[in-house]
Amino acid sequence: QVEVVESGGDLVQPGGTLRLSCKASGKISPYYGMGWYRQSPGTQRALVAEVKADGLTKYADAVKGRFTISRLDGFTTGYLEMSDLKEEDTAVYYCYYKSSRTYWGQGTQVTVSS
């Protein structure tokens, strides 16, 4: 049984920084990658960033140059470093791990407001 838990969401002012963490318990095999989606009220869940098993990363255009995805060796811990945050980054951020199925966390709230 794999459990995915996100943490690090908070209220932050525009221009601020935040780091989200994602930890998976249990063995993920095969491992195809991990990443982050976000969803704000009235919108569909959308990809923010992902890192594949080979280390290749992909970012949504809206966050390129501001967000950085990373993971620790062992692949069960990942991070999303967010800088120059904007009000439109406000959302619930969901972490996922991709294997023969996709494992999702419960989400962590990020609110960007002055």
Side-chain angles (χ1 to χ4, degrees), residues 34-114:
M34 63 88 60
W36 296 86
Y37 272 67
R38 69 185 180 185
Q39 186 171 23
S40 52
T43 68
Q44 288 189 326
R45 197 176 290 193
L47 178 69
V48 177
E50 66 177 4
V51 53
K52 295 187 177 180
D54 60 3
L56 191 67
T57 58
K58 178 181 178 180
Y59 295 91
D61 288 343
V63 307
K64 282 181 182 177
R66 301 189 297 121
F67 290 13
T68 302
I69 189 170
S70 61
R71 64 185 181 198
L72 296 182
D73 291 343
F75 302 153
T76 57
T77 302
Y79 302 99
L80 185 67
E81 305 270 358
M82 305 185 293
S83 63
D84 189 23
L85 282 160
K86 306 176 187 300
E87 291 187 352
E88 50 264 40
D89 294 319
T90 295
V92 178
Y93 284 70
Y94 298 91
C95 174
Y96 69 92
Y97 284 83
K98 198 174 291 185
S99 181
S100 51
R101 54 157 288 188
T102 301
Y103 300 94
W104 290 93
Q106 292 301 305
T108 186
Q109 176 70 47
V110 173
T111 302
V112 184
S113 176
S114 55

